[in-house]
């Protein structure tokens, strides 16, 4: 017998695209959502409009993104991945530790500027991330394992990260995210955010400036 306590259904996990066709559909959805979000903001975007814009069935959209929160969180990740893919890759340059830390800071500054080019979309992805944390969406990932986290580790020359390395990268990305939100809400000026980002990166990654680059 049941205990008489109502239980909420577990949120459905998004489907992962497998074939090239499925991957192309997912990208089309992300692109459409990004364009609509940039024009309408989060509240103005309807899932049906995203499906029509992307040229997919509404059922296909919901299979990959069970909610608008899932969708715009994925839009943020996709935009970060696209930015990093087009950003000069100096990970093979064996940068000196201090130069590597500076490169990380400048990458975060440039990423922030890129995301802020579309204020409506920046607001949409920020609000979605807040909602995701508040509702405990089960698809949360280890932030140090994201494309951005892996890029930071590569720039620092860390091929086999330790738990401490993951924690440091996680702390840095959360600091970046807080400053991104402060810029998006105009709590801080863009100039102040850039200065704070460089300072935060320098302080958080200070232990890495003392490492012998030959040991990385």
């Amino acid at each position: 017998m049941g205990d008489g306590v109502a239980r909420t259904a577990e949120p459905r996990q998004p489907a992962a695209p497998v074939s090239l066709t499925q991957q192309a559909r997912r990208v089309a959805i992300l692109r459409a959502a990004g364009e609509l979000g940039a024009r309408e903001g989060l509240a103005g975007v309807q899932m049906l409009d995203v499906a029509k814009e992307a040229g997919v069935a509404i059922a296909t959209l919901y299979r990959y993104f069970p909610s608008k929160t899932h969708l715009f969180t994925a839009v943020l990740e996709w935009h970060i991945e696209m930015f990093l893919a087009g950003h000069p890759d100096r990970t093979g340059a064996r940068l000196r530790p201090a130069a590597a830390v500076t490169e990380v800071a400048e990458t975060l500054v440039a990423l922030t500027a890129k995301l802020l080019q579309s204020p409506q979309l920046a607001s949409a992805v920020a609000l979605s991330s807040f909602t995701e944390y508040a509702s405990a969406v089960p698809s949360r990932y280890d932030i140090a394992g994201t494309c951005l986290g892996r890029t930071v580790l590569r720039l620092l020359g860390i091929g086999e990260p330790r738990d401490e390395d993951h924690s440091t990268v996680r702390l840095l990305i959360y600091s970046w995210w807080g400053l991104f939100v402060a810029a998006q809400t105009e709590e801080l000026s863009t100039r102040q955010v850039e200065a704070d980002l460089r300072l935060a990166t320098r302080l958080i990654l200070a232990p890495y400036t003392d490492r012998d680059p030959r040991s990385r």
Side-chain angles (χ1 to χ4, degrees):
M1 294 180 62
D3 55 15
V5 178
R7 301 183 185 278
T8 58
E10 289 293 326
R12 183 170 59 80
Q13 290 279 17
V18 177
S19 68
L20 292 177
T21 299
Q22 291 173 337
Q23 292 172 14
R25 284 177 185 154
R26 186 177 187 275
V27 169
I29 292 170
L30 293 172
R31 181 176 290 110
E35 292 174 355
L36 287 170
R39 296 199 304 265
E40 308 293 340
L42 185 64
V45 175
Q46 302 299 318
M47 294 292 270
L48 184 59
D49 293 334
V50 174
K52 289 180 179 178
E53 187 82 8
V56 302
I58 189 67
T60 299
L61 172 58
Y62 276 111
R63 183 164 67 249
Y64 295 130
F65 307 103
S67 71
K68 195 157 62 169
T69 295
H70 283 88
L71 175 58
F72 275 92
T73 300
V75 168
L76 171 63
E77 296 166 12
W78 182 62
H79 274 264
I80 291 174
E81 290 171 2
M82 293 291 289
F83 169 80
L84 293 174
H87 197 64
D89 187 356
R90 301 181 61 192
T91 56
R94 303 293 290 179
L95 299 174
R96 292 182 178 277
V101 170
T102 298
E103 186 72 12
V104 170
E106 295 310 312
T107 297
L108 294 176
V109 166
L111 173 59
T112 303
K114 179 65 175 179
L115 292 174
L116 291 173
Q117 285 179 357
S118 176
Q120 288 269 56
L121 183 58
S123 176
V125 298
L127 287 170
S128 293
S129 293
F130 292 148
T131 303
E132 183 177 13
Y133 281 114
S135 61
V137 172
S139 62
R140 282 313 306 174
Y141 44 78
D142 177 6
I143 200 165
T146 62
C147 182
L148 182 55
R150 295 193 303 271
T151 297
V152 172
L153 289 169
R154 286 200 307 270
L155 286 170
L156 294 174
I158 301 172
E160 298 181 3
R162 306 163 299 171
D163 289 344
E164 182 180 349
D165 296 322
H166 282 291
S167 294
T168 301
V169 171
R170 187 160 44 245
L171 176 60
L172 177 62
I173 293 177
Y174 279 129
S175 297
W176 163 74
W177 178 252
L179 289 167
F180 165 70
V181 171
Q184 188 268 317
T185 59
E186 298 184 342
E187 179 182 347
L188 295 175
S189 68
T190 301
R191 185 173 182 178
Q192 186 62 61
V193 165
E194 291 178 355
D196 287 359
L197 261 176
R198 293 185 176 102
L199 175 61
T201 304
R202 189 166 68 248
L203 293 175
I204 294 170
L205 299 184
Y208 294 90
T209 61
D210 297 328
R211 289 187 174 184
D212 183 346
R214 292 171 298 180
S215 66
R216 293 185 290 165

